[in-house]
Amino acid sequence: MNKYEIVQHPQIDGITLFFDNLTYRTPHIHREWELLWVVRGALAVHSGGAQYRIEPGRVAVLAPLQPHELWAGPEGCTFLCLQVSPQLLTRFFPAAGRVRLDTPEVAPHLSGPEYEALKQALRQAARAYLEQPPFYQLCCAGQICLVWHTFFSRLPCRVLTAEEDAKAEKRSARLTRLLEFVDNNYMHPIRLADFAQAEGCTMNYMSYFVRQCLDQSFQEYVETVRFDHACKLIDAGAVRMTDVCFAAGFSDYRYFCRAFRRRLGLT
């Protein structure tokens, strides 16, 4: 599992738009701004130690390098995803890459007419992006700038100093290495102590770092990754649960069964 999602849409540099459907996505980060417009089902966005429920028709927005986890439950959720490179916005507002929002929720901070205008701008950008009429690039960029103007001017946010931005970049780089470490090793016995040693940090600090970034312990996150992989194996047609258990990195079948019941309430 790669934590950086790469979707190739080469028609506009710095803008990526696509529809997605998911039940769960493990904690991850993007270097782009990410907007999620829920179309069907509800989406729970877990970020910064808080959870936000985004109902159908609602919009959430996440800043670059902001760790987040997505839950939709067994019924799944369909949403429009718009990823915008900070470099696109900094052409017009140099500090755009250093803006941090206090919340991913949009609706509570806009009036009814403002929210409808925001969604209309998103509709026009999406239609132009997908249908590609003449000069659609200008339409997309213009509508997206209007949307982010609304975010920056109406949502609670602040601009990081250069020093704060450098610290955030360093922290995000370490988190990316941690996620990759788990991705590459979850199918085997895995220890946070090994990652801490590679990073030149103490176990106490690294445990604190994981809890701060992911709002869960290292072992809880490893179990999450293993369980997510197990569900994908089952969805792909694997029928022997013992095979799924060991392929996903669980060393004990009873532990795997307990994890399954605890997370889904089912055997």
Side-chain angles (χ1 to χ4, degrees), residues 33-214:
W33 283 92
E34 183 170 67
L35 179 150
L36 307 174
W37 187 2
V38 176
V39 176
R40 182 185 62 82
L43 185 67
V45 179
H46 194 160
S47 179
Q51 183 165 295
Y52 308 89
R53 182 177 173 85
I54 312 302
E55 299 290 348
R58 297 296 188 178
V59 173
V61 60
L62 295 149
L65 304 179
Q66 179 179 352
H68 56 282
E69 185 178 15
L70 304 178
W71 293 82
E75 67 279 4
C77 174
T78 301
F79 57 87
L80 175 74
C81 181
L82 173 62
Q83 294 177 343
V84 178
S85 167
Q87 286 70 37
L88 176 71
L89 301 176
T90 54
R91 296 173 190 172
F92 313 103
F93 177 50
R98 294 188 281 115
V99 175
R100 294 296 180 269
L101 303 175
D102 293 344
T103 173
E105 292 184 302
V106 174
H109 305 284
L110 301 182
S111 67
E114 287 174 331
Y115 199 65
E116 286 305 314
L118 175 78
K119 292 195 291 186
Q120 180 60 24
L122 287 173
R123 290 189 193 97
Q124 293 184 21
R127 180 179 293 276
Y129 186 96
L130 297 172
E131 295 182 353
Q132 300 182 35
F135 318 116
Y136 73 97
Q137 298 94 332
L138 294 174
C139 177
C140 285
Q143 296 301 325
I144 286 171
C145 284
L146 288 174
V147 169
W148 258 261
H149 174 265
T150 299
F151 291 156
F152 291 166
S153 61
R154 302 295 292 157
L155 272 61
C157 64
R158 71 186 188 95
V159 179
L160 301 182
T161 65
E163 182 180 358
E164 289 173 326
D165 189 45
K167 289 181 178 179
E169 179 70 33
K170 183 178 179 180
R171 178 186 178 93
S172 297
R174 172 167 284 164
L175 177 59
T176 298
R177 292 193 296 271
L178 173 71
L179 299 180
E180 291 175 347
F181 173 72
V182 176
D183 285 346
N184 294 332
N185 296 283
Y186 70 86
M187 67 291 297
H188 310 297
I190 182 173
R191 301 191 314 156
L192 181 60
D194 295 332
F195 182 76
Q197 183 178 18
E199 292 289 306
C201 300
T202 66
M203 265 292 293
N204 285 341
Y205 173 78
M206 193 55 65
S207 296
Y208 170 79
F209 175 81
V210 173
R211 177 70 66 175
Q212 281 283 308
C213 290
L214 303 180

